[in-house]
Structure formats: C-alpha cells, structure tokens
Amino acid sequence: MAEQRVVQAVPLTAEAFLPFGRVVSAGLQEGASANQGTAVRFDFCTDLVTTRPGARANLAVFRSKARQFPIDLTLLERHPCSTQVFIPMIVSRYLVCVAPTRADGAPDLDGLQAFLCAPGQGVAYAVGTWHHPMVALDTAAEFSMLAWEDGSALDCEVRQLGVTIRVNG
C-alpha cells in the first residue's frame, strides 16, 4: 500500500492563509460607501500579478461537483507566473489545500495545510503557490477564476505527489 499522510482541515482565516496568498472577502478592510449609500465597496482586496507581459487576463467559471470527506490528494498544481483568484458564486462550503515551496521548487508536503472555506470567502493564491484544485463540499459549486494565461506550459505546473494525503473535515 502506498504511503498515506493525514491532514485535518481547519476554518479559513486571513492570518493563517497569508503565507499562501490572500483571503478575498467583504469586511476584511475598511470599505467606502457606494451606489448612493446602498452598498459598501472594498477596493484592492488582493494583488493581481503576472510576470509575463504577453499573458492575458482570463476570467473563467468553474463548476465543481460535490465531494465528501475524507478527500484524498494525489497531486498539486501551481501557476509559476501568475496569481490565481477564486471567487465563489454558488457555494456551500469548499476546501482549499496549499503547500509551501521547498528550495528545489517542489511542494513541501510536510507543510501542507487544508482550509474549510465558507460562502463569501474567496482565495487569491500568490504567484507560484502549490495548491490542490478546488473541492466543493456538501453541494455542487460555481467559482469565478482570474489568472493570466498565454497558452504555454507556464500557465499551470502539475506535480504528482507520490504519496496520498488524506484530508479530514
């Protein structure tokens, strides 16, 4: 049997996620009145970065099937030249799994963390952050995603883990 590690998912907080990027949510910073006082606008909720001048902003929509715990991870991905932002459109809860990068560029599986995200919480992965693809929990979900892409291999690097990481909720 292949090696298996276990990680416990914890609620997402801006402080805990900061080594990997930013939590995108209303109310994490001071807002300003907008729309004749019927709304509050929160500007510059995250940095939007690309290191490739030829890459274009791609706003895509992902529809994810619901999964249940435990979740087994066998791969991680990263976007070495771009931030990647996920904003939930229709969601109950979802799981975000991230890992630091080792000196050789590989994901540091000993530092892998799993976060339970609630409706109204988006995530912005910093450039090069190792993460698992989005996992919808409880019900199917839809997310808008923003990243800079040019169609090359630098858009997304995928790494098979060689071990299974089981995430419990």
Side-chain angles (χ1 to χ4, degrees):
M1 182 175 164
E3 181 184 351
Q4 183 180 75
R5 300 179 188 184
V6 177
V7 173
Q8 182 67 39
V10 298
L12 179 69
T13 66
E15 296 75 25
F17 194 72
L18 195 56
F20 308 103
R22 302 265 307 264
V23 173
V24 180
S25 183
L28 293 178
Q29 61 192 33
E30 191 168 331
S33 180
N35 300 343
Q36 296 76 45
T38 63
V40 177
R41 177 177 165 155
F42 302 92
D43 288 316
F44 303 104
C45 293
T46 191
D47 295 326
L48 303 173
V49 177
T50 182
T51 62
R52 299 177 293 170
R56 295 177 45 207
N58 179 10
L59 180 61
V61 174
F62 281 68
R63 183 173 289 146
S64 298
K65 295 179 181 178
R67 296 177 59 191
Q68 303 297 320
F69 285 113
I71 306 292
D72 288 339
L73 312 182
T74 59
L75 64 82
L76 293 176
E77 64 180 53
R78 70 175 175 174
H79 308 277
C81 300
S82 173
T83 52
Q84 185 184 41
V85 181
F86 280 93
I87 305 294
M89 296 172 19
I90 301 170
V91 69
S92 172
R93 296 182 306 155
Y94 65 102
L95 178 68
V96 167
C97 299
V98 289
T101 302
R102 296 187 330 208
D104 66 359
D108 177 0
L109 301 183
D110 291 333
L112 187 135
Q113 296 183 49
F115 296 101
L116 288 169
C117 305
Q121 289 183 310
V123 293
Y125 298 118
V127 173
T129 297
W130 288 104
H131 62 279
H132 188 268
M134 299 306 283
V135 176
L137 299 170
D138 308 320
T139 62
E142 291 185 6
F143 301 90
S144 60
M145 183 281 302
L146 176 65
W148 280 258
E149 299 177 339
D150 65 4
S152 74
L154 290 175
D155 285 346
C156 183
E157 177 185 352
V158 177
R159 182 80 53 108
Q160 298 295 323
L161 300 181
V163 300
T164 299
I165 298 178
R166 174 155 285 177
V167 179
N168 293 319

